[in-house]
Amino acid sequence: MEGHDGSGSAGELLARHREVLPNWLALYYDQPIELVRGEGARVWDGDGNEYLDFFGGIVTTISGHVVPRLVRALSEQAGKIAHSSTLYLIRPMVELAERLTGIAPIDLPVKAFFVGSGTEAVEAALLFATTWRRSNEIIALRNSYHGRSFGAIGITGNRGWSASSFSPLNVSYALSPYCYRCPLGLTYPACGVACAEDVRNVIETTTTGEPAAMIAEPIQGVGGFVTPPPEYFGIVKSILDEFGIPFIADEVQTGFGRTGEAFWGIEGYGVHPDAIVCAKGLGNGMAMGAVVSRADMMESLRANSISTFGGNPLASTYALANLDHIEENRLQENAYKVGNALYRGLKDLEDRFDVVGEVRGKGLMVGVEMVSDATSKAPSPEAVAKVMESCKEQGLLLGKGGLYGNVLRLSPPLSITEDDVARAIETLEVAFGEAATLGSP
Ligand SMILES: Cc1ncc(COP(=O)(O)O)c(C=O)c1O
């Protein structure tokens, strides 16, 4: 069967995919789909089915698909020069660095370095911090995800994404600020955010006292949009400051207005990090990552370093147009407004459906943890699978995550409307109803 783009059916493409790509490269859905076209928050598969895209290519297409001004910026630059390398001056890269260093909530002189992905940005930040501090000790969080390379896996606190136990780093894991499944069995706020205090104990018992850095996601993305309580990062940062330990915010998912309340996720916690790692939303789908950090940390390298593709004219031009688009269309404000509507609508469903354990998140980064019932809180990846399939049938794409694969992840483009939110909620209401019958005769 021919798809609408004339390239053949999804079934035939799936067979070819399985033949030549590794078996761990997971695909969503019983019958995987090929997305061949997009426009704003809508995408179409090869059979012409339309979907509302509430995952945005894994929290990436922050401005939406095929935004005319971005397409224009890209094709105009492609018509001039696509690549030159950092051996030559690159005007859009310098402009992008000026832009990012200007908006980073980092004290002291700041510099930016560009790479091709989030993983590579994490790697670069680890290299800078470990060189600067002359230590290979890193503090990370349990239930974290930082990428797929050797070093990034080494600081990823999630068994499902840890393909190797080998690591160039000596890593200590602090408790995840995961209130719904509190690792200390406590309840917020009576807990006094005891999980944050754990960082002190980790430093005192598992490190030399002078680790290179602590790295954390402001909201744990792959971990299931685990959203720390408001005081968490303030307490952690004050403990790190006592010991003089730098803090790296991994903003790969939370950056660029996604959380609605601030441009960077960590700003919502009132904390100034020493370095920020970003990617995904920066390029709205173009392969691009960056580290923005204190200049003394970044410039501690005593050897040459280079990224052939990092900051190339095409990606930098596109990212600059993307940042303009986010700012001029007040997408962060929209994420706050429609994100609240989405959150409230889902909270109503949480009250009505026993299989919905917890709705959490900020702005347009909303997670729904599915359980077999609200009393046992037993994780239900089956309910997630059912909801994903049902939503797909109804024309809504979602993501999933969580340590147990039982969390739905909603991260649409920040440009969605209240009508889009209403449609997503209606769709999820039907899907939760279907998931609620799982296990019934
Ligand atoms: C918080 C975080 N850091 C790093 C990465 C790695 O980014 P990439 O997949 O672009 O290498 C991801 C990817 O999901 C992420 O969520």
Side-chain angles (χ1 to χ4, degrees):
M1 188 181 112
E2 289 261 302
H4 271 218
D5 62 346
S7 58
S9 74
E12 179 248 2
L13 189 60
L14 175 62
R16 286 165 55 196
H17 175 109
R18 294 219 161 112
E19 202 60 38
V20 291
L21 290 157
N23 60 4
W24 40 257
L25 198 62
L27 290 161
Y28 274 173
Y29 305 116
D30 291 344
Q31 291 178 338
I33 51 177
E34 179 194 12
L35 300 180
V36 295
R37 192 162 73 80
E39 197 181 308
R42 281 169 174 70
V43 288
W44 286 264
D45 70 16
D47 292 326
N49 299 309
E50 179 181 322
Y51 305 92
L52 192 51
D53 182 6
F54 263 49
F55 199 31
I58 323 187
V59 203
T60 295
T61 46
I62 204 156
S63 289
H65 299 276
V66 194
V67 179
R69 74 184 289 176
L70 300 193
V71 175
R72 251 191 332 269
L74 193 63
S75 47
E76 275 170 22
Q77 185 58 49
K80 292 182 197 160
I81 188 166
H83 178 75
S84 61
S85 91
T86 47
L87 297 176
Y88 306 95
L89 287 167
I90 301 175
R91 190 170 296 273
M93 177 173 80
V94 174
E95 284 174 12
L96 187 59
E98 287 168 348
R99 194 76 172 264
L100 289 181
T101 55
I103 54 177
I106 300 175
D107 306 322
L108 304 164
V110 183
K111 296 227 166 164
F113 176 63
F114 296 100
V115 291
S117 69
T119 296
E120 220 191 318
V122 166
E123 284 288 333
L126 291 172
L127 180 66
F128 301 152
T130 52
T131 306
W132 187 43
R133 301 266 298 161
R134 298 187 178 282
S135 164
N136 74 339
E137 291 177 333
I138 293 286
I139 300 170
L141 289 182
R142 298 183 197 174
N143 198 45
S144 58
Y145 179 85
H146 295 289
R148 45 149 289 283
S149 64
F150 212 47
I153 287 176
I155 55 164
T156 287
N158 183 328
R159 190 241 161 283
W161 295 98
S162 299
S164 171
S165 67
F166 297 112
S167 170
L169 299 160
N170 187 344
V171 185
S172 299
Y173 289 101
L175 296 173
S176 170
Y178 190 173
C179 295
Y180 185 67
R181 298 189 186 279
C182 175
L184 297 169
L186 302 173
T187 306
Y188 178 81
C191 62
V193 199
C195 58
E197 272 300 320
D198 176 58
V199 171
R200 179 191 307 284
N201 191 255
V202 165
I203 296 167
E204 287 177 345
T205 61
T206 71
T207 73
T208 56
E210 296 178 6
M214 173 166 175
I215 185 166
E217 303 154 85
I219 293 177
Q220 294 191 319
V222 173
F225 288 2
V226 166
T227 309
E231 306 86 344
Y232 175 77
F233 280 109
I235 300 172
V236 167
K237 182 70 168 73
S238 66
I239 296 170
L240 296 176
D241 286 347
E242 266 178 55
F243 290 86
I245 301 168
F247 176 58
I248 303 169
D250 183 339
E251 296 267 4
V252 168
Q253 295 208 12
T254 46
F256 310 101
R258 165 72 56 197
T259 59
E261 61 185 10
F263 192 77
W264 303 103
I266 201 65
E267 282 179 295
Y269 289 90
V271 161
H272 290 203
D274 297 282
I276 282 178
V277 169
C278 57
K280 292 194 189 274
L282 171 62
N284 194 50
M286 285 290 280
M288 172 159 237
V291 184
V292 186
S293 86
R294 306 172 47 149
D296 48 1
M297 179 192 283
M298 192 174 287
E299 292 183 337
S300 64
L301 296 194
R302 288 287 169 264
N304 292 320
S305 199
I306 191 176
S307 167
T308 300
F309 299 122
N312 71 69
L314 214 50
S316 294
T317 300
Y318 191 76
L320 275 171
N322 183 37
L323 292 182
D324 285 342
H325 185 80
I326 292 170
E327 203 178 290
E328 286 166 25
N329 292 279
R330 300 175 168 220
L331 293 189
Q332 181 193 322
E333 255 174 75
N334 192 55
Y336 185 78
K337 193 175 74 164
V338 296
N340 279 343
L342 178 63
Y343 185 82
R344 278 196 311 273
L346 289 170
K347 275 286 178 195
D348 284 347
L349 298 183
E350 179 188 310
D351 290 342
R352 287 181 36 213
F353 291 95
D354 212 29
V355 286
V356 178
E358 184 185 54
V359 173
R360 57 178 173 250
K362 290 182 180 187
L364 285 173
M365 189 168 181
V366 180
V368 183
E369 177 144 1
M370 304 296 294
V371 291
S372 59
D373 63 275
T375 317
S376 77
K377 288 187 177 180
S380 182
E382 300 80 13
V384 159
K386 183 84 185 165
V387 171
M388 298 264 297
E389 292 292 343
S390 166
C391 286
K392 178 193 154 208
E393 284 307 303
Q394 299 178 71
L396 174 69
L397 301 183
L398 307 171
K400 67 175 166 177
L403 191 58
Y404 309 104
N406 69 319
V407 182
L408 296 164
R409 292 198 282 162
L410 282 66
S411 54
L414 306 191
S415 54
I416 60 162
T417 63
E418 299 213 357
D419 283 349
D420 294 331
V421 166
R423 201 182 126 206
I425 289 170
E426 276 167 29
T427 306
L428 280 159
E429 181 176 0
V430 173
F432 291 156
E434 289 174 22
T437 63
L438 275 176
S440 313

